[in-house]
Amino acid sequence: MSESVPDLRSRYWAPVERNTTLTAELALIGADKKVLEIGPGSGHMTEALVRQNCVVTCVEVSRDLNSMAGAFCHQMIVGDIELLCQEEGFPGEKFDVILFGDVLEHLRDPAAVLGKLRDHLTATGYLVASVPNVAHASVRLALFNGEFNYNEEGLLDRTHLKFFTIDSLNALLRSAGFSIVELRRTRAGVFNTEVKLSIEKISAGLLRRLMRDAEATTYQFIFSAQPIADDGGSSRPGEAAAFIDNGWSARKGKTRLAKSMARRGRTLIQRGAPAQSRAWLSRSFQLQPRIPTLFYWFYSFMPRSK
């Protein structure tokens, strides 16, 4: 039995203004555009795009969800984009933007889909998409300990068929005839994702090494990409490797991580778990020696009044 519409709405609806990935996608798309949205879900982005005076055609595989997004879009096509023949859904149509919001990782052959939709972009048209970063430090740390556990959502969503790093994402786009023009990121702390980690199994040295990588805390990549011209260029050339986050440094990353771990340790003391707190505080101190961290580590050994 399928879920009821209200249940689906509450599960899949994401207020755009509260979601950094969605606001980034919306900014990359802009206003007054003709948009092909692949996988609109319950229609939260569709509604936001219409508010920006965009005309939206949607392709949604779920018959339960299409009725919700269909309330906002200009046209709703129910079908699997990997099986759909364009002539059946939007013959000869051209779009300013094709949107894949958290969709590419769910496709069996994303390169083939991107390739067949390329001809449905206008001369100045482009893709906008978001994908999770499987090279997030939390996933790497889990793998280091021999763990790769799927979750209901997030980086290791059990419905993901493909996993991307910045390099493999760029390779996918190039193989489909696209080049990244603008790249944005959302970030999440090493221990602030849905991936479960045991601090006792993680050394400060390993954390220190991870913080040298600017993508260690990248949770999602949000980007726009244009077709590569016949001469091998694009109207606005750019490679993913060129989009370095200038606000990142290993020193800043290490400092932020050490402070967040120290806060976790202090919180555990307050919650009456001093033994657990010591693991967090000691790793924090090893990562970046600070007197307050050392103080709380000693404090965690003090007897508590009942």
Side-chain angles (χ1 to χ4, degrees), residues 26 29-41 43-60 69-77 90 93-100:
L26 205 58
I29 293 169
D32 304 306
K33 300 289 175 61
K34 185 177 180 181
V35 180
L36 175 62
E37 183 181 10
I38 309 301
H44 44 268
M45 263 307 270
T46 317
E47 182 189 39
L49 287 167
V50 171
R51 290 201 304 266
Q52 292 192 169
N53 204 33
C54 292
V55 177
V56 187
T57 295
C58 292
V59 178
E60 173 56 57
F72 308 112
C73 67
H74 170 71
Q75 180 185 8
M76 171 59 73
I77 300 165
F90 33 89
E93 282 198 69
K94 299 282 187 177
F95 300 91
D96 300 309
V97 181
I98 299 178
L99 172 62
F100 288 87

Side-chain angles (χ1 to χ4, degrees), residues 257-259 261-262 279-289 293:
L257 179 56
K259 288 182 177 180
M261 295 170 71
W280 290 95
L281 291 166
S282 63
R283 297 299 188 283
S284 173
F285 188 81
Q286 292 170 48
L287 196 61
Q288 186 179 66
T293 306

Side-chain angles (χ1 to χ4, degrees), residues 2-218:
S2 63
E3 295 176 80
S4 67
V5 170
D7 288 342
L8 283 168
R9 171 59 65 90
S10 62
R11 178 180 176 186
Y12 290 103
W13 187 270
V16 173
E17 64 279 1
R18 300 179 191 174
N19 186 299
T20 52
T21 296
L22 298 179
T23 54
E25 290 174 353
L26 205 58
L28 289 171
I29 293 169
D32 304 306
K33 300 289 175 61
K34 185 177 180 181
V35 180
L36 175 62
E37 183 181 10
I38 309 301
S42 58
H44 44 268
M45 263 307 270
T46 317
E47 182 189 39
L49 287 167
V50 171
R51 290 201 304 266
Q52 292 192 169
N53 204 33
C54 292
V55 177
V56 187
T57 295
C58 292
V59 178
E60 173 56 57
V61 68
S62 169
R63 292 188 176 276
D64 291 318
L65 287 171
N66 81 81
S67 61
M68 288 183 277
F72 308 112
C73 67
H74 170 71
Q75 180 185 8
M76 171 59 73
I77 300 165
V78 181
D80 184 340
I81 191 60
E82 297 203 77
L83 303 176
L84 185 69
C85 175
Q86 296 102 303
E87 287 71 23
E88 296 173 350
F90 33 89
E93 282 198 69
K94 299 282 187 177
F95 300 91
D96 300 309
V97 181
I98 299 178
L99 172 62
F100 288 87
D102 291 334
V103 170
L104 293 174
E105 63 271 23
H106 296 275
L107 302 180
R108 294 180 294 277
D109 191 350
V113 173
L114 292 172
K116 76 177 181 180
L117 291 179
R118 189 172 181 265
D119 291 337
H120 286 276
L121 284 170
T122 63
T124 57
Y126 54 94
L127 302 175
V128 170
S130 57
V131 297
N133 174 33
V134 76
H136 188 278
S138 60
V139 179
R140 290 195 237 181
L141 288 170
L143 281 168
F144 186 81
N145 289 313
E147 299 170 357
F148 192 87
N149 299 315
Y150 287 97
N151 295 304
E152 292 302 317
E153 58 184 5
L155 296 168
L156 301 181
D157 186 315
R158 64 179 70 255
T159 63
H160 288 178
L161 301 179
K162 302 292 182 181
F163 296 93
F164 297 102
T165 65
I166 187 59
D167 290 335
S168 63
L169 172 62
N170 190 44
L172 165 71
L173 292 168
R174 297 290 294 187
S175 71
F178 288 91
S179 178
I180 290 179
V181 174
E182 184 172 349
L183 178 67
R184 303 186 183 188
R185 300 164 175 84
T186 61
R187 292 192 178 274
V190 176
F191 298 99
N192 295 330
T193 76
E194 65 288 336
V195 179
K196 303 301 182 184
L197 297 170
S198 174
I199 187 62
E200 292 80 5
K201 297 180 180 179
I202 300 168
S203 70
L206 184 55
L207 293 172
R208 191 176 293 108
R209 182 173 180 179
L210 279 172
M211 288 302 99
R212 296 174 190 164
D213 184 354
E215 307 300 352
T217 60
T218 298

